[in-house]
Amino acid sequence: MNGPGQAALGGGLLVAGTTSDAGKSVVTAGICRWLARKGVKVAPFKAQNMSLNSFVTREGAEIGRAQAMQAAAARVEPSALMNPVLLKPGSDRSSQVVLMGRPVGELSARGYHAGRQEQLLGTVTDCLQELRRTYDAVICEGAGSPAEINLRRTDIVNMGIARAARIPAVVVGDIDRGGVFASFFGTTALLSPEDQALVAGYLVNKFRGDVTLLEPGLDMLKELTGRPTLGVLPFAHGLGIDEEDGLRVSLRGAVRESVVAPPHGADVLRVAVAAVPLMSNFTDVDALAAEPGVVVRFVDRPEELADADLVVLPGTRGTVRALQWLRERGIADAVRRRAAEGRPVLGICGGFQMLGERIEDEVESKAGTVDGLGLLPVRVRFAADKTLARPSGEALGEPVEGYEIHHGVAEVTGGEPFLEGCRSGAVWGTHWHGSLESDGFRRAFLRRVAADAGRAFVPAPDTSFAALREEQLDRLGDLIEEHADTEALLRLIEDGVPAGLPFVPPGAPPIPPPRTPAAPGSDAPSAVSPAPAHRTSLEGGTS
């Protein structure tokens, strides 16, 4: 309800899931595209995201790449409001906290869930309300499962945000994993009565086969829970948006299993991507995988580099750790041999830093001075402040755009300039993510790689990565339009939580009501405040 003088809020919907990777990101993007095609002004939202794949908005804020792609599905410009809290793991126990697009500290999982997370509920609720004042509908994505009862007290991304904003939730289940009926029932039955009152229905994802065989189970599920199944989405190959943490080439298949179109020329081009620890923004290689005749594999053994025409060292949240991993595995020596033979190597962001002569790191790993691979005339010093930028320029005679997310500051002392990095022989390095999405530049780069590798590979003249992405997002919209109960979804978005949803025992103990967002002028964090205003509550190192 809106108070006197408050602007009316647009509709909202939470897409929760029975598990991680149930398909929440894809369903959220699909609903956004379906609504956008109907002329609805819609925006995505994820209160808290844990991912090493991130993106820089035009205002210089860092958000999860999945939310940037959902914004593309909604045909709107991404903003920090769409992903106010981003957690970037630095180890199994700690993550960098990015708040409203800016890093504000490093916290252990225990420290984050022991009170710091709960402090952010007002901030994320403010963000959601701001989006709802601006858009006709906001489609929220949950995280993991809403039935993680050990974390419910501090939850700000699943039922916590649904209760704070009073929006209905639909639960997505991946039937390809099996046990989807038990997952739907168990998820509901483990929620408190107050949370259950917001769960309005279910969506089956990745179904294979004859849907009529599923219908008796869906009828029994409704009898047991009092909630309908709002759609059965079929399994479809090649779907997905930029991954949060999964090791997948989004447009063309999976690890060591890329499915490619026939080559335009006589040869294919083989690309090996080193699967370094804490790999970040590996979506950079999606644009390579989209090219007919380019085979992309993620590798973790030196012998797998032997037949590669191009080796990519990708970004990483732990440059020094990844460098040590390359050396322990023997991959570092294999990369050096390639460089000595004039065989192409590309380093992006952390990969670029590893190719340099020296790394001074008192920020990320606190390892001090570490020798790099020595293949590029570059010295890297890690700064406390993170560089977040959207650069553009020209390389190989073609226009290029990209984005930067890094603490390392590179001092280039030689070589040939290349996207604010450098090139030496067949070794290339840049801090720019996303540069390969520029079609003309990508084709020019692949022609150079093919020439250096001695391959009769010719890039297709008409591959448009942006068009492929649009086709993919339209396919997601088609899934919702053709296989979901769109009338029921619209009612939920427009009218809110339906009355009379029954309680499914046993339920979890009641959760204390969420604190309401603080009034303007109070000391609580505000979603629209600049990032430094939040620093006092989250900084202080690892708890």
Side-chain angles (χ1 to χ4, degrees):
M1 299 264 321
N2 300 306
Q6 289 183 312
L9 298 181
L13 181 71
L14 173 68
V15 178
T18 56
T19 62
S20 295
D21 202 32
K24 297 182 292 292
S25 296
V26 167
V27 169
T28 300
I31 294 175
C32 284
R33 176 49 59 99
W34 160 65
L35 288 172
R37 292 194 306 209
K38 287 178 62 67
V40 176
K41 189 179 180 184
V42 59
F45 177 77
K46 186 161 186 174
Q48 171 197 295
N49 195 353
M50 177 172 281
S51 179
L52 287 172
N53 283 335
S54 57
F55 181 76
V56 179
T57 67
R58 293 205 179 278
E59 67 266 28
E62 184 179 9
I63 66 172
R65 271 199 71 94
Q67 279 61 66
M69 288 297 293
Q70 288 163 353
R75 296 175 175 154
V76 297
E77 189 68 30
S79 80
L81 291 172
M82 298 173 184
N83 181 206
V85 181
L86 173 64
L87 306 178
K88 302 192 73 175
S91 70
D92 292 340
R93 294 177 177 267
S94 68
S95 294
Q96 183 182 67
V97 181
V98 179
L99 182 62
M100 295 304 296
R102 297 289 188 276
V104 295
E106 195 90 11
L107 286 175
S108 68
R110 179 181 293 274
Y112 184 65
H113 288 287
R116 305 293 179 91
Q117 182 183 34
E118 197 172 12
Q119 296 171 12
L120 297 174
L121 180 60
T123 298
V124 301
T125 304
D126 285 349
C127 288
L128 178 54
Q129 287 181 330
E130 180 66 22
L131 289 173
R132 292 178 71 187
R133 280 191 286 266
T134 306
Y135 293 88
D136 300 327
V138 179
I139 309 303
C140 309
E141 180 189 344
S145 164
E148 291 167 351
I149 54 178
N150 56 314
L151 303 176
R152 175 60 185 90
R153 184 182 64 81
T154 59
D155 169 50
I156 64 173
V157 66
N158 288 306
M159 303 314 296
I161 192 68
R163 279 180 64 180
R166 295 301 302 170
I167 58 174
V170 295
V171 180
V172 178
D174 179 358
I175 197 170
D176 201 45
R177 296 183 177 194
V180 74
F181 294 118
S183 297
F184 283 143
F185 182 85
T187 296
T188 309
L190 277 177
L191 300 179
S192 68
E194 296 83 359
D195 287 350
Q196 285 193 28
L198 301 178
V199 175
Y202 311 108
L203 274 170
V204 176
N205 193 28
K206 302 181 187 176
F207 179 73
R208 307 171 192 249
D210 184 350
V211 73
T212 61
L213 299 176
L214 193 65
E215 288 170 352
L218 301 179
D219 293 339
M220 284 186 276
L221 181 67
K222 185 174 182 180
E223 291 176 7
L224 288 166
T225 67
R227 291 158 173 85
T229 296
L230 302 175
V232 178
L233 309 182
F235 187 95
H237 290 281
L239 281 184
I241 62 174
D242 289 10
E243 297 296 310
E244 292 187 355
D245 297 299
L247 231 180
R248 182 176 302 155
V249 182
S250 303
L251 291 175
R252 296 293 188 193
V255 180
R256 298 191 181 92
E257 201 178 317
S258 297
V259 179
V260 296
H264 190 71
D267 285 348
V268 298
L269 202 68
R270 296 176 175 85
V271 178
V273 184
V276 298
L278 298 175
M279 182 165 45
S280 61
N281 286 68
F282 55 81
T283 47
D284 283 330
V285 300
D286 283 354
L288 295 179
E291 282 285 350
V294 175
V295 182
V296 177
R297 300 172 298 159
F298 289 88
V299 303
D300 56 11
R301 298 189 298 270
E303 57 270 24
E304 293 178 296
L305 273 58
D307 66 345
D309 304 304
L310 171 67
V311 168
V312 177
L313 301 185
T316 173
R317 171 86 163 86
T319 300
V320 171
R321 176 178 168 183
L323 185 56
Q324 181 182 1
W325 181 88
L326 291 178
R327 287 176 168 137
E328 290 172 348
R329 296 251 170 175
I331 296 175
D333 289 338
V335 170
R336 284 198 188 95
R337 286 194 296 271
R338 288 184 62 87
E341 296 165 359
R343 302 173 66 197
V345 177
L346 171 64
I348 302 173
C349 201
F352 167 44
Q353 297 165 7
M354 289 185 277
L355 290 170
E357 299 168 348
R358 188 179 69 205
I359 299 170
E360 297 177 17
D361 182 11
E362 298 292 350
V363 175
E364 192 175 74
S365 68
K366 298 180 173 60
T369 301
V370 177
D371 288 336
L373 296 180
L375 299 179
L376 289 176
V378 175
R379 298 172 184 174
V380 176
R381 176 185 55 82
F382 274 67
D385 292 334
K386 181 185 285 191
T387 296
L388 296 169
R390 288 279 294 270
S392 61
E394 184 177 297
L396 304 180
E398 297 287 346
V400 192
E401 294 182 352
Y403 57 98
E404 295 183 65
I405 306 170
H406 54 90
H407 283 278
V409 178
E411 178 190 0
V412 179
T413 60
E416 179 182 328
F418 174 67
L419 299 180
E420 297 182 0
C422 67
R423 173 197 175 196
S424 178
V427 181
W428 313 67
T430 178
H431 272 134
W432 292 22
H433 293 290
S435 62
L436 294 167
E437 295 180 18
S438 298
D439 297 327
F441 166 73
R442 182 181 64 253
R443 288 191 279 268
F445 177 72
L446 290 177
R447 282 192 291 269
R448 287 286 189 95
V449 168
D452 288 344
R455 289 282 185 187
F457 170 83
V458 179
D462 55 355
T463 301
S464 168
F465 187 75
L468 286 172
R469 175 180 286 161
E470 277 297 299
E471 289 174 13
Q472 188 183 42
L473 294 174
D474 273 332
R475 290 179 66 196
L476 295 179
D478 292 343
L479 274 183
I480 299 300
E481 188 169 347
E482 296 170 9
H483 300 283
D485 185 342
T486 53
E487 290 186 5
L489 289 175
L490 272 178
R491 283 196 300 271
L492 290 175
I493 294 168
E494 294 176 350
D495 300 336
V497 182
L501 292 171
F503 172 68
V504 180
I511 302 297
R515 68 177 181 86
T516 56
S522 76
D523 293 332
S526 167
V528 294
S529 300
H534 302 280
R535 298 179 76 91
T536 54
S537 65
L538 285 172
E539 282 189 325
T542 302
S543 298

